[in-house]
């Protein structure tokens, strides 16, 4: 639908543009619209080298927030820092809850963008500052969680989530308009970049899926036609 369509930002290739839409729509609508991340606040995003992660790190920094992220290797952590993360935590070696506490001086983060679900949710709540906002957008470790409501009450936390595809065209159009006004200039100036890990011809889609399932990718994988 026309309201959801955006022009290719000046200076970007069609391959780079193909990597934009879903991640930038998702991050903007959840981190900024839903969670209301503001300049000076802290964001924790899991999966920092995913398409969502690389986008969230850059947009948060571009709008004046500070970022902590998790990733699964030293190389991936280094890539997150290169994109602007203040602290990248190798979740295989470190406890991200302790790392958040240390990085924020014990205060905690203001927003968590969570794609993991499961047992991560309770740990995320430990990371949140007073009046923190937790946004769920996926649940790789399961959609059922067991929580104590005590920290929710004590810290006045907000737990929310959203999906993008079922929304009406008008809502998606409003997100597109905000991106065009606020984010497209950042892409055109180079302050925010599109991170493309690799491209595959459409007839090698299975190889593209194998690349994603390997967990070695950093950024988006694009099918070309």
């Amino acid at each position: 639908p026309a309201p959801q369509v955006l022009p290719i930002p000046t200076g970007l290739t069609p391959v780079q543009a193909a990597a934009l839409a879903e991640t930038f729509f998702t991050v903007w609508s959840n981190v900024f619209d839903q969670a209301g991340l503001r300049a000076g606040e802290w964001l924790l995003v899991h999966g920092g080298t995913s398409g969502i992660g690389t986008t969230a790190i850059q947009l948060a920094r571009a709008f004046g927030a500070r970022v902590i992220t998790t990733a699964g290797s030293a190389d991936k952590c280094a890539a997150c820092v290169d994109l602007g993360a203040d602290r990248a935590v190798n979740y295989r070696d470190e406890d991200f809850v302790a790392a958040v506490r240390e990085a924020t001086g014990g205060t905690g983060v203001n927003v968590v963008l969570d794609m993991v679900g499961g047992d991560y949710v309770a740990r995320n709540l430990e990371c949140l500052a007073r009046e923190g906002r937790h946004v769920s957008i996926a649940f790789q470790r399961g959609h059922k969680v067991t929580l104590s409501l005590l920290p929710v009450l004590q810290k006045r936390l907000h737990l929310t989530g959203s999906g993008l595809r079922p929304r009406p065209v008008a809502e998606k159009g409003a997100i597109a308009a905000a991106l065009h006004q606020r984010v497209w200039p950042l892409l055109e100036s180079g302050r925010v970049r599109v991170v493309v890990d690799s491209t595959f011809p459409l007839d090698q889609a299975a190889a593209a899926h194998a690349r994603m399932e390997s967990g070695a990718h950093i950024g988006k994988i694009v099918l070309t036609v």
Side-chain angles (χ1 to χ4, degrees), residues 122 125 146-152:
L125 299 193
T146 300
L147 290 176
S148 167
L149 291 176
L150 191 59
V152 178

Side-chain angles (χ1 to χ4, degrees), residues 22-51:
E22 186 159 7
T23 55
F24 278 74
F25 270 70
T26 299
V27 170
W28 185 265
S29 61
N30 286 284
V31 174
F32 295 94
D33 284 346
Q34 192 94 334
L37 183 69
R38 297 182 292 271
E41 292 190 323
W42 283 91
L43 168 70
L44 168 63
V45 56
H46 292 295
T49 53
S50 66

Side-chain angles (χ1 to χ4, degrees), residues 177-201:
L179 286 171
H180 197 201
Q181 179 184 10
R182 304 286 304 280
V183 175
W184 256 226
L186 299 175
L187 289 161
E188 293 177 338
S189 69
R191 287 186 61 197
V192 172
R193 58 189 174 94
V194 184
V195 182
V196 176
D197 172 81
S198 52
T199 63
F200 292 82

Side-chain angles (χ1 to χ4, degrees), residues 59-134:
L59 288 185
R61 285 306 302 265
F63 288 100
R66 303 186 71 182
V67 183
I68 302 170
T69 188
T70 61
S73 71
D75 288 345
K76 287 192 170 190
C77 286
C80 292
V81 172
D82 182 60
L83 288 169
D86 296 271
R87 177 79 160 84
V89 182
N90 184 341
Y91 62 81
R92 301 184 193 278
D93 299 331
E94 292 186 80
D95 174 19
F96 71 82
V97 177
V100 165
R101 190 176 299 117
E102 178 187 5
T104 62
T107 302
V109 296
N110 306 98
V111 174
V112 175
L113 180 63
D114 181 50
M115 298 171 275
V116 184
D119 58 343
Y120 264 47
V121 177
R123 298 170 69 194
N124 291 338
L125 299 193
E126 291 185 59
C127 295
L128 282 169
R130 291 190 181 279
E131 299 188 356
R133 290 88 74 193
H134 184 283

Side-chain angles (χ1 to χ4, degrees), residues 2-16:
Q4 298 170 206
V5 176
L6 286 163
I8 295 178
T10 302
L12 269 63
T13 67
V15 167
Q16 290 173 313

Side-chain angles (χ1 to χ4, degrees), residues 137-182:
I137 59 171
F139 34 81
Q140 296 169 355
R141 293 171 72 118
H143 66 281
K144 293 185 178 180
V145 300
T146 300
L147 290 176
S148 167
L149 291 176
L150 191 59
V152 178
L153 274 62
Q154 289 176 329
K155 296 194 285 186
R156 301 187 298 278
L157 303 181
H158 302 257
L159 277 66
T160 184
S162 73
L164 189 60
R165 288 188 186 90
R167 295 195 193 187
V169 170
E171 290 187 16
K172 295 179 185 177
I175 299 169
L179 286 171
H180 197 201
Q181 179 184 10
R182 304 286 304 280

